[in-house]
Amino acid sequence: MPTIKTNRNSTKKEVIINKASKLFREKGFSATSMRDLAENVGVEAASLYNHIQSKAEILQEICFRVANQFMTYLEEMENSKTSSITKLESILRFHIQQMIHNYESVHVADREWKHLTDPYLSNYKTQRKVYRQRLAGIIEQGIQKKEIKKIDAPTAVLIMLHAVSGIESWHRSKQKISAELLEENMVMILVDGLRAS
Amino acid sequence: MPTIKTNRNSTKKEVIINKASKLFREKGFSATSMRDLAENVGVEAASLYNHIQSKAEILQEICFRVANQFMTYLEEMENSKTSSITKLESILRFHIQQMIHNYESVHVADREWKHLTDPYLSNYKTQRKVYRQRLAGIIEQGIQKKEIKKIDAPTAVLIMLHAVSGIESWHRSKQKISAELLEENMVMILVDGLRAS
DNA sequence: CTGCAAAACTAACACTTATTAGTGGGAAAC
DNA sequence: GTTTCCCACTAATAAGTGTTAGTTTTGCAG
């Protein structure tokens, strides 16, 4: 009788969530069945329910873990004593790195959160809104201090965040440039696009 | 007995595809059932099949119509006698305008194409790849002519295209700035980020 | 008014969906 | 050696999936 392999000293629930992240990214939440997931984990579908409560719960865990990571880093930056443009660059780099190294779950949190159900859905939506507002706040500070050119801050946030999510294409491309080079190029374009000149 | 309303002098198939675009964007392709779609059209699910061949066909129509529009405009720009940076700006503006006024279908083509099935899937993938390569080509010309700063062209393409898809957030936001202002802000940030200074 | 094609309907098909109940095996605790 | 508990199993459920067959209604052309 096969057992869920727990190579890295992670719980079996962790293994399920990791496999789910991969599948949700590849096929989307709705198009991924519990039987798909079970097969990838190496077990019957019903057995998954010894470790998780529902398909919905898996998505919740993925989304809120990611959200917490980003919120934590944002707060860290808000409290740091650097220029606005440097804060922004740090946050951008954090997003890029997360998207590179934590690809599956970050991408799922970004694209599949719509399939959350209330009350988690509305909770997630407000978290998302608050995050963007605070990010826009940093930009507005930078504009006041004339570090950043006069632009609509929410639009800048929108560009930043969505540009980063484009790293999915990088992951899929055959001849990719190195992760470091990718990061530098993205920072160069986006930060220079914002900087007051 | 209700009939599919065909207000604008469009065919009934058109009405179905438009409603489908709306639903596919809101809930995703997989999470939208033919019964959902039928209800929104105001008809029984089976009746849809008098106008379309399959659910898959709807997605195909949406994706390839959008793809053709963008490919056509790209070719127009490639043949125009302007600087590379101007070409790029025009294409960017076209993307923005399409995303603003043709929101539903453009967004679906961008996000839901994965659910196409072969041979349409591989066809779409190559079209997508070619489009990006040719866009990168324009950027590389701009770099050679020193109009554009030395960056990795594919990365710039990735940023441009994904930044534009962020307009979905703009559509959903409560207090939106005007479409014109949105366009100008996006062009300011992205084009300035690319321009050699 | 009649006839005909377009397009709506109902009913049903064959699967797939997430999830639950109940069973049994295997390993660790005593 | 026995008990206990974790966990994977089989079997089943009720609801939902895209789609087809066959029938009835609609609205327009003659």
Side-chain angles (χ1 to χ4, degrees):
Chain A
M1 189 175 300
T3 298
I4 297 180
K5 288 173 199 162
T6 161
N7 293 336
R8 305 151 278 176
N9 51 3
S10 50
T11 75
K12 304 194 176 184
K13 183 169 178 174
E14 220 77 47
V15 175
I16 293 174
I17 290 178
N18 285 339
K19 284 283 183 195
S21 298
K22 178 167 168 282
L23 290 173
F24 289 173
R25 174 188 62 78
E26 284 171 3
K27 321 176 40 168
F29 175 77
S30 294
T32 303
S33 71
M34 293 302 276
R35 285 168 179 80
D36 277 343
L37 176 55
E39 193 179 354
N40 268 267
V41 171
V43 96
E44 290 299 315
S47 307
L48 295 174
Y49 288 85
N50 287 317
H51 306 282
I52 54 143
Q53 285 203 337
S54 65
K55 189 185 179 186
E57 190 209 15
I58 300 177
L59 186 61
Q60 287 154 26
E61 293 245 5
I62 296 173
C63 290
F64 285 97
R65 281 184 196 183
V66 171
N68 286 337
Q69 280 182 319
F70 282 110
M71 195 59 97
T72 303
Y73 192 83
L74 176 67
E75 279 168 8
E76 214 174 286
M77 279 302 114
E78 282 176 334
N79 296 330
S80 82
K81 312 257 180 235
T82 53
S83 67
S84 300
I85 193 96
T86 306
K87 284 180 188 174
L88 214 59
E89 183 175 327
S90 297
I91 293 168
L92 176 60
R93 285 183 188 274
F94 183 73
H95 273 266
I96 294 170
Q97 285 158 14
Q98 286 294 306
M99 192 66 186
I100 288 175
H101 299 114
N102 209 6
Y103 175 36
E104 317 276 348
S105 52
V106 173
H107 192 255
V108 168
D110 194 45
R111 291 286 235 268
E112 303 295 324
W113 60 267
K114 282 185 197 177
H115 299 101
L116 289 169
T117 49
D118 271 325
Y120 300 96
L121 178 58
S122 29
N123 186 333
Y124 192 85
K125 275 170 155 173
T126 53
Q127 266 199 251
R128 202 176 158 89
K129 200 169 92 183
V130 167
Y131 185 85
R132 291 177 180 208
Q133 280 172 349
R134 286 164 66 172
L135 200 47
I138 295 180
I139 294 179
E140 266 154 12
Q141 281 177 11
I143 297 176
Q144 280 182 357
K145 289 190 274 173
K146 299 198 195 301
E147 296 168 17
I148 295 177
K149 72 169 71 146
K150 278 186 193 162
I151 39 145
D152 180 58
T155 302
V157 169
L158 173 159
I159 289 179
M160 251 187 67
L161 297 184
H162 281 83
V164 168
S165 87
I167 295 178
E168 64 152 343
S169 305
W170 175 82
H171 267 107
R172 278 205 307 266
S173 72
K174 293 276 165 61
Q175 63 266 41
K176 12 180 167 186
I177 61 174
S178 74
E180 293 77 22
L181 214 52
L182 175 69
E183 183 175 331
E184 292 314 318
N185 270 279
M186 292 194 77
V187 170
M188 196 174 2
I189 296 172
L190 290 170
V191 176
D192 282 8
L194 294 174
R195 188 175 279 123
S197 51
Chain B
M1 191 173 302
T3 298
I4 296 180
K5 289 171 197 162
T6 161
N7 293 336
R8 305 151 277 175
N9 51 2
S10 49
T11 75
K12 304 195 179 183
K13 183 169 179 174
E14 219 77 46
V15 175
I16 293 174
I17 290 178
N18 285 339
K19 284 282 183 195
S21 298
K22 179 166 167 282
L23 290 174
F24 290 173
R25 174 188 63 76
E26 285 172 3
K27 321 176 40 166
F29 175 77
S30 294
T32 302
S33 72
M34 293 302 278
R35 286 168 179 82
D36 276 344
L37 175 55
E39 193 178 354
N40 269 267
V41 171
V43 95
E44 289 298 315
S47 305
L48 296 173
Y49 288 84
N50 286 319
H51 305 281
I52 54 143
Q53 284 203 335
S54 65
K55 189 186 179 187
E57 189 209 15
I58 300 177
L59 186 61
Q60 287 153 25
E61 294 247 3
I62 296 173
C63 290
F64 285 98
R65 282 183 194 186
V66 171
N68 286 338
Q69 280 183 317
F70 282 109
M71 195 59 97
T72 302
Y73 193 83
L74 176 67
E75 278 168 7
E76 214 173 286
M77 279 301 114
E78 281 175 336
N79 296 330
S80 82
K81 311 256 180 236
T82 54
S83 67
S84 300
I85 192 95
T86 306
K87 284 180 188 172
L88 214 58
E89 181 175 328
S90 297
I91 293 168
L92 176 60
R93 285 183 189 275
F94 183 73
H95 273 265
I96 294 171
Q97 286 158 14
Q98 286 294 306
M99 192 65 185
I100 288 175
H101 300 112
N102 209 4
Y103 175 36
E104 317 276 348
S105 53
V106 173
H107 193 256
V108 168
D110 195 44
R111 291 287 236 267
E112 303 294 324
W113 60 266
K114 283 185 198 179
H115 298 102
L116 289 169
T117 47
D118 271 325
Y120 301 96
L121 178 58
S122 28
N123 185 334
Y124 192 85
K125 274 170 155 174
T126 53
Q127 266 199 250
R128 202 177 159 88
K129 200 168 92 182
V130 167
Y131 185 86
R132 290 176 181 210
Q133 280 172 350
R134 286 164 67 172
L135 200 47
I138 295 180
I139 293 179
E140 266 153 13
Q141 282 178 11
I143 296 176
Q144 279 182 0
K145 289 189 274 174
K146 298 197 195 302
E147 297 169 15
I148 295 177
K149 71 169 74 147
K150 280 185 192 164
I151 39 146
D152 181 59
T155 302
V157 170
L158 172 160
I159 289 178
M160 250 186 67
L161 297 184
H162 281 82
V164 169
S165 87
I167 294 177
E168 64 151 343
S169 304
W170 175 82
H171 268 107
R172 278 204 307 264
S173 73
K174 294 276 165 57
Q175 64 266 40
K176 11 181 168 189
I177 60 175
S178 75
E180 293 77 20
L181 213 53
L182 175 70
E183 182 174 331
E184 292 314 318
N185 270 280
M186 292 194 77
V187 170
M188 195 173 5
I189 296 172
L190 290 170
V191 176
D192 282 6
L194 293 174
R195 187 175 279 122
S197 49

